[in-house]
Amino acid sequence: MPPFPIDRYLLPETPVEVPDGFTEVRQSLTAGLPHRVELGAGVHAVLILPTGLARQWLNTDPLAVVSSSADDLAPRPAPPTVPAPPALVGRVPLRLVVRQGTRILGSVPLAAGLRRVCPDAGTSADTTGSAPVAVEVVVLGWLLHAGTVRGSGDYGSSLTLAWRRADRAADQFGPPPINEFVWRRRPPAQRVESELGPGRLRYRYLLDKKLRRVLR
């Protein structure tokens, strides 16, 4: 059975492993934030935490955990019978800004198991005519303490990720996309559509196995 189209966007239920063909990078965050991670091929990533609240970190225990990938991988309890009212999001906005020199290729939010290609297929060459180097980044794990946010020092903070050059064609191929007009003519009960947000990928399926195709 082929994988569900949005599998790569979902969080894993087990510890994240390094995919085949990727180079793992483990670093201790002893120089504070922002922290630079060399990826190779002239590309690097910068770990940033844009909070804008300096006084909060000055008054916080340096060993207090600010963010950890363990939160993503921890088992989730069963949802309550009566849903609770929505609450404000308390997760800090840790991000990896992927750059080639001074050129920004993309931004990757820290989520365990997240894979992202930087830049995406729609990015064009710069004013000099040179095309950007495409890399794929996988977030494997991290641990960030308040002392690291405040400045340099060994507080036990670390970051683990993996990367590879994304300049090779896919080695797995599926059936060609179904024509959009053919998809529209099928009965509604035989059509399935999924859209991953504005401007994102769109998938359309026919429940007839002989005609099942993906429309992007």
Side-chain angles (χ1 to χ4, degrees), residues 92-161:
V92 295
L94 273 172
R95 308 189 73 82
L96 281 171
V97 179
V98 182
R99 308 199 309 176
Q100 179 186 2
T102 59
R103 170 193 286 171
I104 296 178
L105 301 181
S107 178
V108 182
L110 256 62
L114 178 65
R115 294 176 60 166
R116 181 158 296 179
V117 176
C118 300
D120 58 28
T123 302
S124 58
D126 61 11
T127 55
T128 65
S130 61
V133 175
V135 297
E136 185 173 9
V137 179
V138 182
V139 180
L140 299 177
W142 72 92
L143 176 61
L144 180 65
H145 291 96
T148 305
V149 180
R150 195 161 57 192
S152 59
D154 189 358
Y155 300 100
S157 301
S158 61
L159 172 67
T160 306
L161 53 86

Side-chain angles (χ1 to χ4, degrees), residues 31-45:
L33 296 182
H35 178 82
R36 176 169 171 151
V37 182
E38 296 293 340
L39 301 180
V43 178
H44 65 274

